[in-house]
Amino acid sequence: MQSTYNKEPEIRISGEGHNLWSGYAAIGQEMAARLAGKAKAILTVECYPGVRIEEIVQGLQSTLMIGHLFHAEEASLGKEPLEALLAPYLTEDRVFGYMSPLELAQCYDPAKLEAIRAKVEAIREGLVVIIGFGASLVTRGDVLVYADLARWEIQLRYRSGELGNWLADNREEDILRKYKRGFFIEWRMADRLKRALLPDADFYLDTNRKDEPNLITAASLFACLDQAAYRPFRLVPYFDPGVWGGRWLEEKIGLEPRSNPYAWGFDGVPEENSLYFRIGASRLEMPAINLVLFRPEELLGEQVYARFGAEFPIRFDFLDTMGGQPLSLQVHPLTAYIRETFGMAYTQDESYYMLDVGDEATVYLGLKEGVDSEAMLNDLEKAQQGGFSFPAEHYVNVYPARKHDHFLIPAGTVHCSGCNGMVLEISATPYIFTFKLWDWDRLGLDGKPRPIHLEHGRRNIQWDRTSSWVEQNLVARAEPVGEGEGWKEERTGLHELEFIETRRHWFTGTVPHHTGGRFHMLNLVEGEEAIVESPDEAFEPFTVRYAETFIVPASVGAYTIRPAQPAADSKLATIKAYVRA
């Protein structure tokens, strides 16, 4: 069957006056028009770390006569003082750092900034361009442009070797260490600056695609955010190969075949996914996190925002082992541990919803009765030394997995997906905090051993999560909670230790929903196509297809979901997650 999964979902923006300039020639002409009539004009281009600064400079020079160019980073602290400032948050660990509270201004030398300001002030005529991550610390200028890109694009630039971290000569460094520096330090500083600065900017520059920039006024950008915050929408998905990957995503989603199979699919992670805005004949790409940063109450709801701040606390993603290998045997940190050790406010509770299964699909979950903790840890340590394979089945429960089973995984529970499963992972958002205990004697795609964190693991494994407790609390729970004409609602979890509530709706007719002031994240887990509608036509009907994840902002309130075609003979189903009251 031809896949109907939409890999490029767009939010179509209505209304007039939302101009979009594409390409450096058009952008340069608009800048020239905005600065016309000034003997001396200052153009400040503030950049998210990872933006191709030289590309922007060259692109503008093709149209504008730049008289004076200043790179903001010339005023930074310098390599040694900067590394000393960042060291407590980087740590020696390959994967994990500590969540940095730093502001970008702390990475700059006030005297050097003042020296650049003095030079700029002394200029009497011509176009002055100040650019870089921190350009706005010099001056706002006559025109302020914010240049942005998505974190997934940054990761691709890390991987290709094109990009190192900000002010770090590390383009060839291990991708995990580059990602760590971005995740724990750079992106946190950048988001703080963006949230403070973008409302004061004149323009927003989309730099996700090489030599294909798009410029929009900041006023129009915020109008786009306003429209997105009051309707259902999808994020732009991306898919990634992995050592344990299967073939389901390639075959069912219709992805380009890869020599290394796809392991992950991310279509519900606002911190890393993008949004596409369709504005007339043009399309703007923007990091989805911007909607969270600038419209948190409308998107999240007042209570969720008060609890988590401007963060989207739930994510949906795919784990494909169909015809592949098991994930690493792993455990996630307890809340107190993640707070004290990594500076995170909440932890990575999660669950596995079996979107599809093959023959003999399994899930590893919890420990067997009577497990000797020291013996298990000794065997894990022995396996790490090589020449010994950890006997996972001796210590860990292995459960058969059927389509639509839901396995709950509160932090501290040993687990992993086995072979021949297509998992919709429903999780809290701190998604890099996986302590691998055992990786089945294999190497990563880079030919290096994947990082194992036994010391972290031993401090978080809950040894009382054994067979009887797991089977009573975590395996395939489905409690009927409501029904109406053509629909039935079930509570499938999550465990009381987790803050996420999940509800499954089976339906052949129209299902009423209400956000209750909290955002909903859903996936169509059964059926080809459904329609999401507003009872009072507050938004246009929204189409979702099999396996697509979508978000309903808290501001929406009442909405309905129905089959796109009459479904008397076949049921559709959605799984819905939201923050429990």
Side-chain angles (χ1 to χ4, degrees):
M1 182 180 70
Q2 183 73 25
S3 173
T4 60
Y5 182 95
N6 183 3
K7 295 186 283 293
E8 297 188 5
E10 297 178 338
I11 299 173
R12 186 169 294 277
I13 300 302
S14 61
E16 302 296 327
H18 303 304
N19 293 325
L20 191 71
W21 296 271
S22 297
Y24 284 110
I27 290 170
Q29 290 170 7
E30 178 61 20
M31 292 296 102
R34 289 294 180 111
L35 297 168
K38 295 179 179 289
K40 171 188 171 182
I42 302 174
L43 172 61
T44 300
V45 185
E46 180 62 60
C47 300
Y48 205 87
V51 165
R52 295 182 174 109
I53 291 174
E54 290 309 312
E55 176 193 308
I56 296 175
V57 171
Q58 293 173 15
L60 293 177
Q61 283 177 331
S62 66
T63 304
L64 298 172
M65 184 68 70
I66 299 176
H68 307 272
L69 176 67
F70 295 91
H71 289 274
E73 282 83 358
E74 295 172 2
S76 68
L77 291 176
K79 185 173 182 178
E80 291 186 6
L82 181 62
E83 291 301 315
L85 177 67
L86 303 186
Y89 310 104
L90 281 176
T91 77
E92 292 300 319
D93 192 281
R94 183 183 174 197
V95 176
F96 303 119
Y98 190 88
M99 198 62 69
S100 164
L102 293 173
E103 301 285 345
L104 181 60
Q106 295 174 255
C107 300
Y108 276 81
D109 185 325
K112 292 180 181 178
L113 283 172
E114 188 55 42
I116 294 179
R117 288 192 198 102
K119 291 179 181 178
V120 171
E121 190 172 336
I123 295 168
R124 292 290 174 261
E125 60 181 12
L127 175 60
V128 180
V129 173
I130 306 167
I131 192 168
F133 181 34
S136 60
L137 299 177
V138 178
T139 178
R140 183 203 183 280
D142 298 299
V143 171
L144 173 59
V145 176
Y146 191 91
D148 205 4
L149 78 169
R151 291 184 190 171
W152 173 236
E153 175 60 27
I154 294 173
Q155 291 176 64
L156 292 177
R157 296 179 190 184
Y158 284 163
R159 292 183 189 185
S160 70
E162 170 196 347
L163 181 66
N165 291 105
W166 183 64
L167 296 182
D169 185 19
N170 68 338
R171 287 196 304 169
E172 303 304 318
E173 190 174 31
D174 176 5
I175 176 61
L176 293 179
R177 292 186 182 276
K178 289 197 283 188
Y179 182 91
K180 178 184 72 170
R181 190 171 176 130
F183 181 90
F184 286 96
I185 300 176
E186 292 171 15
W187 302 340
R188 307 302 158 182
M189 290 194 299
D191 286 346
R192 292 184 189 106
L193 179 64
K194 182 195 292 187
R195 199 173 186 197
L197 187 67
L198 190 52
D200 186 48
D202 298 296
F203 293 96
Y204 178 88
L205 184 63
D206 159 19
T207 70
N208 284 282
R209 297 181 182 273
K210 185 175 177 60
D211 296 319
E212 296 181 18
N214 293 293
L215 183 79
I216 191 172
T217 65
S220 289
L221 178 77
F222 283 110
C224 292
L225 295 177
D226 286 335
Q227 292 192 32
Y230 286 89
R231 66 169 78 171
F233 63 88
R234 289 189 60 225
L235 307 176
V236 180
Y238 65 90
F239 304 91
D240 212 18
V243 67
W244 42 263
R247 294 294 179 186
W248 195 97
L249 287 168
E250 179 185 316
E251 295 171 0
K252 301 294 185 181
I253 301 297
L255 303 178
E256 191 71 24
R258 300 281 297 264
S259 55
N260 296 305
Y262 295 96
W264 291 278
F266 297 95
D267 71 344
V269 187
E271 283 203 350
E272 302 217 355
N273 289 112
S274 294
L275 291 171
Y276 282 155
F277 293 118
R278 173 60 61 180
I279 304 170
S282 302
R283 184 166 78 184
L284 180 82
E285 182 173 359
M286 183 198 75
I289 190 65
N290 288 357
L291 184 60
V292 184
L293 294 175
F294 294 105
R295 295 294 181 265
E297 291 192 65
E298 296 89 337
L299 175 64
L300 303 175
E302 184 178 353
Q303 292 183 14
V304 177
Y305 179 41
R307 181 174 176 182
F308 293 95
E311 293 189 23
F312 200 91
I314 298 176
R315 69 183 178 105
F316 279 19
D317 62 84
F318 298 126
L319 307 173
D320 182 2
T321 68
M322 196 75 82
Q325 303 175 32
L327 276 67
S328 60
L329 192 67
Q330 58 195 247
V331 67
H332 299 303
L334 303 171
T335 300
Y337 191 86
I338 200 171
R339 183 186 297 117
E340 294 165 5
T341 311
F342 306 113
M344 296 292 295
Y346 59 104
T347 194
Q348 190 170 326
D349 292 312
E350 64 185 30
S351 65
Y352 288 168
Y353 189 91
M354 306 308 297
L355 187 65
D356 203 356
V357 296
D359 293 339
E360 300 181 348
T362 57
V363 166
Y364 291 71
L365 186 62
L367 304 173
K368 292 191 173 180
E369 301 291 352
V371 160
D372 183 327
S373 60
E374 285 307 311
M376 177 173 163
L377 291 169
N378 288 339
D379 276 355
L380 286 167
E381 189 66 51
K382 187 177 174 183
Q384 281 307 105
Q385 306 307 315
F388 173 77
S389 290
F390 177 71
E393 290 82 358
H394 178 72
Y395 294 105
V396 183
N397 300 309
V398 184
Y399 295 101
R402 301 163 299 176
K403 187 173 183 177
H404 296 301
D405 278 351
H406 199 178
F407 297 90
L408 315 182
I409 312 171
T413 309
V414 175
H415 68 282
C416 74
S417 174
C419 299
N420 287 334
M422 181 58 212
V423 172
L424 173 65
E425 185 177 46
I426 301 172
S427 170
T429 299
Y431 50 90
I432 72 165
F433 293 94
T434 296
F435 301 147
K436 296 183 180 68
L437 305 173
W438 166 240
D439 205 26
W440 312 94
D441 294 321
R442 63 193 173 198
L443 302 176
L445 295 182
D446 58 2
K448 301 176 182 178
R450 300 211 299 161
I452 301 295
H453 286 93
L454 284 185
E455 195 56 39
H456 288 308
R458 74 165 63 237
R459 296 175 184 175
N460 286 275
I461 294 172
Q462 298 299 284
W463 298 99
D464 58 350
R465 306 253 175 101
T466 54
S467 308
S468 57
W469 189 91
V470 168
E471 288 159 18
Q472 182 178 353
N473 290 276
L474 306 183
V475 176
R477 296 165 60 189
E479 172 191 352
V481 292
E483 62 181 312
E485 185 177 352
W487 61 270
K488 180 176 70 172
E489 179 181 4
E490 298 171 330
R491 180 178 184 271
T492 66
L494 273 47
H495 189 265
E496 61 184 12
L497 294 175
E498 306 177 71
F499 67 79
I500 301 172
E501 181 70 19
T502 54
R503 300 292 178 93
R504 179 170 56 206
H505 288 82
W506 295 99
F507 58 100
T508 57
T510 300
V511 186
H513 293 260
H514 199 290
T515 62
R518 299 165 183 267
F519 76 89
H520 290 173
M521 182 172 261
L522 305 95
N523 188 285
L524 185 64
V525 295
E526 187 71 37
E528 292 186 15
E529 190 172 277
I531 308 295
V532 185
E533 294 174 304
S534 168
D536 56 3
E537 300 182 345
F539 57 83
E540 294 182 357
F542 178 76
T543 301
V544 293
R545 300 170 182 86
Y546 177 60
E548 291 182 350
T549 294
F550 61 103
I551 295 169
V552 180
S555 62
V556 166
Y559 65 100
T560 62
I561 304 178
R562 64 172 174 83
Q565 302 295 330
D569 297 330
S570 60
K571 290 183 179 180
L572 284 72
T574 57
I575 189 76
K576 175 173 72 178
Y578 55 94
V579 175
R580 190 178 290 145

